[in-house]
Amino acid sequence: MDSQLHAQLNEYYRVDYEHNVHPPQDESLPLGPAIEEYIQSNLKTTKEELSRLSILSPPEWDDSHPLTHYFVSSSHNTYLLSRQLVGRASAESYTHALSRGARCVEIDVWPSSSPEGLVVTHGYTLTKGVSFRKVCEAIGEGVDALGPGAWPVLVSLECHVGPKGQQNMVNILKSAWGEKLVVGRLQNDDSHDQEDDNVIVSPRNSKGKIILMVEYYPPNNFAQIEAEEEVEEDIDEMNPILEHFSTESIIEGEDLPQVLIGEVERGKISDELAALGYYARSWKPSMGWLQQELVDPRHILINISETNILSLLPTELGPLIQHGRLHLRRIFPKGTRIRSSNMDILKFWRNGSHVVSLNWQTFDTSMQINEAMFVGSPGWVLKPNAQRMLDQELSKSKLTAEIVGLSSLILPKGRQDKTYNVYVEAELYHNLQDQKWRSKTVVTTEDGDVMWNENLEWEFDRDELAFIRLRVRENRRFEKDLDLAMFCARVDHLQQGWRLAYLLNMDGRASGATLLVKFELTQ
């Protein structure tokens, strides 16, 4: 493993959401004079005590439910370091993604003219590939680093290799992952020599394991499946954009991509490879799949694009939730997201989709919500009770917040301003209609401090999938307002009472700024 590149990735793509679960124990936490005076005059606590209180408290994680009862933190095209059509692939991207909390990663494997043979790359693009063996070894090392008690890791395998080359794939997978790789049925502790298909597969009995998603192609609908390919979806829209990039567009200092060779026989998966995907036979389904009874193979995983799922909403919301109780479902982005933008993750969690694959290179709204969902978790989070038990009753709740003020906000590099005009924009994402609130605009001090002393109040139907985001924004007269810092959290994890929210910059790293706020949540 390239330790230098791994360190660079950890720094460049680091996120600091944990600061709001485990606050930094820094006795010299800088608070503005106005904030310190407010604490001394109005709160029954001290600055030191307040700085030790976390604003988020995730629950204890129950590992006994079936795999289909969980959401899984998932990375799309994990191997890519930057954009979808040009750039570089790296094995170190996998160890970084796993260390950052991903529990589903993706491999696209192709035959090539490279001395390495099989490569992982984004086919039919200008990306530079990486050895399939190195990727598998990196995943194995990443899982080992998590420890034996870590919850299982899903690996989504997109196989562009014909049956003859698949035996080599199988050998590499088994060699790199050893006993971590689930091969066939999991066994009961007291029946190691028996095949028991009634065992509930849960995170508890698959800890430390790698569960491989292997494609499943029913012979009667292969032609329809071809239309679901990730690379080819919306290809008419992608072609003009791809032609725009010349070979000089590839990241400086990298070679041209390997030439992909060999007869790529999609729709043919060898028995040996299929056996490695026993609990996740990945099917890109044909029309009418939602009404089909899927019994053979038993553990079919639905692998479907965001476009095709959205076409079923809102009319098929109930059947989608019901189907998600029985079969895992992975959502991949539409092919035109070439700049690594992300789909609206909440739309897919709300229809019961388990594995919503995001481009982790982009810290946009969906990635912020994804981090808020999984912070402090083992990468798997139980679905709402309404989705697991089909109990659709929602409770009416009220969320109030007192937003007092901000300390130590720093402008982006290159800005020479000593003071600037800022406001707080609050957003509540919930099951019906998102709500927004905005504070007044106030001029900061030269130290980046500001006081608002404002309140907000929202009523909403509580469905366990409500999230709040606070953004500190600069009010600019002649340009679009600029995001300076943010805080995003699952409402159910908020601690009530006075807290300091540690704000992140728009790349997800600690900004050094804190917001004094009080949340109250009532039924």
Side-chain angles (χ1 to χ4, degrees):
M1 182 188 300
D2 186 335
S3 58
Q4 183 177 1
L5 178 57
H6 183 62
Q8 290 173 346
L9 285 173
N10 280 342
E11 177 59 28
Y12 188 78
Y13 291 115
R14 186 188 85 235
V15 294
D16 293 321
Y17 265 67
E18 287 283 347
H19 285 191
N20 282 304
V21 178
H22 305 291
Q25 298 303 302
D26 186 356
E27 296 297 333
S28 62
L29 178 69
L31 295 182
I35 293 291
E36 290 204 17
E37 182 181 348
Y38 187 93
I39 293 172
Q40 293 172 4
S41 302
N42 298 280
L43 309 185
K44 296 179 180 179
T45 185
T46 65
K47 165 188 169 180
E48 290 72 26
E49 291 174 340
L50 195 61
S51 68
R52 289 193 288 267
L53 297 176
S54 61
I55 195 170
L56 299 179
S57 181
E60 295 293 325
W61 305 105
D62 185 347
D63 60 6
S64 65
H65 291 257
L67 299 183
T68 53
H69 283 194
Y70 295 87
F71 298 125
V72 186
S73 184
S74 176
S75 162
H76 173 248
N77 286 355
T78 311
Y79 47 88
L80 292 180
L81 292 174
S82 54
R83 293 173 291 177
Q84 302 293 306
L85 301 186
V86 297
R88 179 184 176 190
S90 167
E92 284 73 20
S93 295
Y94 290 88
T95 52
H96 169 71
L98 291 170
S99 68
R100 187 175 146 186
R103 291 300 177 266
C104 179
V105 295
E106 181 181 11
I107 303 176
D108 286 342
V109 58
W110 297 76
S112 82
S113 60
S114 163
E116 297 283 354
L118 301 175
V119 296
V120 175
T121 189
H122 199 178
Y124 308 121
T125 69
L126 299 179
T127 55
K128 180 181 181 294
V130 62
S131 160
F132 174 66
R133 181 182 297 275
K134 288 182 180 178
V135 164
C136 292
E137 290 172 349
I139 293 173
E141 292 172 9
V143 173
D144 285 340
L146 298 175
W151 290 31
V153 170
L154 302 175
V155 176
S156 176
L157 181 69
E158 290 285 337
C159 177
H160 302 267
V161 178
K164 292 182 180 179
Q166 289 175 21
Q167 186 58 54
N168 187 26
M169 290 177 58
V170 170
N171 293 339
I172 291 172
L173 288 164
K174 288 184 175 180
S175 173
W177 297 344
E179 294 184 356
K180 294 187 288 292
L181 175 62
V182 174
V183 179
R185 295 181 175 97
L186 290 170
Q187 298 173 331
N188 281 329
D189 292 338
D190 56 354
S191 58
H192 292 288
D193 57 346
Q194 298 180 10
E195 292 186 344
D196 182 1
D197 217 9
N198 294 317
V199 174
I200 294 178
V201 185
S202 68
R204 178 176 296 175
N205 59 19
S206 54
K207 286 182 177 177
K209 297 294 187 180
I210 297 173
I211 298 175
L212 189 66
M213 301 180 190
V214 177
E215 290 147 299
Y216 169 63
Y217 293 100
N220 61 344
N221 71 339
F222 176 62
Q224 292 170 313
I225 292 170
E226 286 185 311
E228 268 293 292
E229 290 300 317
E230 291 188 48
V231 173
E232 296 176 2
E233 187 185 311
D234 302 316
I235 198 69
D236 290 338
E237 296 181 53
M238 291 175 64
N239 277 336
I241 304 171
L242 181 56
E243 291 168 1
H244 173 73
F245 292 104
S246 65
T247 55
E248 287 78 18
S249 300
I250 301 176
I251 294 176
E252 184 179 355
E254 295 178 357
D255 299 326
L256 289 175
Q258 294 96 337
V259 178
L260 304 180
I261 63 171
E263 184 180 0
V264 181
E265 300 180 64
R266 302 308 304 274
K268 295 184 178 180
I269 297 294
S270 68
D271 291 342
E272 292 79 8
L273 182 57
L276 304 187
Y278 181 80
Y279 286 110
R281 293 304 309 275
S282 174
W283 179 38
K284 292 181 177 174
S286 58
M287 292 181 63
W289 64 272
L290 197 53
Q291 286 72 43
Q292 296 180 35
E293 184 179 4
L294 307 178
V295 293
D296 185 27
R298 179 178 177 186
H299 300 286
I300 287 181
L301 174 147
I302 301 299
N303 197 1
I304 191 168
S305 73
E306 61 171 303
T307 304
N308 283 346
I309 281 289
L310 292 178
S311 71
L312 300 174
L313 297 174
T315 55
E316 301 291 348
L317 177 60
L320 281 170
I321 292 174
Q322 168 67 17
H323 197 277
R325 296 180 69 244
L326 305 174
H327 296 278
L328 291 170
R329 185 160 66 242
R330 174 182 180 262
I331 311 297
F332 58 84
K334 60 185 179 182
T336 50
R337 294 188 181 276
I338 61 171
R339 298 190 183 278
S340 298
S341 64
N342 284 306
M343 63 188 108
D344 182 347
I345 195 168
L346 284 173
K347 288 183 179 179
F348 301 95
W349 284 340
R350 287 186 181 126
N351 66 50
S353 297
H354 314 75
V355 181
V356 185
S357 299
L358 299 182
N359 295 309
W360 284 36
Q361 306 94 331
T362 306
F363 193 66
D364 57 11
T365 301
S366 284
M367 268 309 302
Q368 293 165 20
I369 292 173
N370 189 78
E371 293 286 351
M373 170 66 93
F374 293 103
V375 64
S377 81
W380 295 66
V381 169
L382 268 178
K383 290 181 172 183
N385 186 67
Q387 292 190 10
R388 290 181 282 120
M389 307 303 176
L390 297 185
D391 176 7
Q392 297 297 329
E393 292 186 9
L394 301 177
S395 61
K396 181 72 73 174
S397 296
K398 179 188 292 186
L399 176 66
T400 60
E402 295 182 46
I403 298 175
V404 175
L406 178 72
S407 297
S408 305
L409 182 66
I410 300 175
L411 277 176
K413 290 182 179 179
R415 293 284 298 274
Q416 303 299 320
D417 315 54
K418 292 186 176 181
T419 63
Y420 36 97
N421 301 316
V422 296
Y423 61 92
V424 175
E425 182 172 277
E427 298 157 289
L428 179 68
Y429 304 98
H430 63 103
N431 64 310
L432 294 178
Q433 183 178 358
D434 299 340
Q435 300 182 41
K436 286 189 177 184
W437 172 92
R438 173 174 168 168
S439 74
K440 60 181 178 287
T441 297
V442 179
V443 179
T444 68
T445 68
E446 292 187 7
D447 293 323
D449 303 333
V450 63
M451 295 291 287
W452 285 290
N453 273 323
E454 294 195 52
N455 300 328
L456 67 84
E457 180 180 301
W458 284 318
E459 289 190 355
F460 64 103
D461 289 327
R462 192 170 176 182
D463 64 351
E464 299 182 55
L465 288 177
F467 291 79
I468 185 171
R469 181 172 67 165
L470 305 177
R471 284 184 293 168
V472 178
R473 313 191 73 199
E474 182 184 10
N475 190 342
R476 304 198 290 185
R477 290 184 61 188
F478 303 112
E479 299 177 81
K480 182 180 178 181
D481 288 356
L482 179 66
D483 291 336
L484 299 175
M486 55 77 60
F487 165 81
C488 186
R490 191 176 178 184
V491 169
D492 286 354
H493 293 175
L494 288 173
Q495 289 292 284
Q496 303 192 50
W498 288 104
R499 295 292 190 277
L500 288 171
Y502 289 83
L503 303 186
L504 308 183
N505 64 26
M506 302 317 294
D507 292 324
R509 291 187 284 276
S511 69
T514 55
L515 184 70
L516 181 60
V517 62
K518 179 183 179 182
F519 288 113
E520 297 288 347
L521 184 64
T522 56
Q523 295 290 111

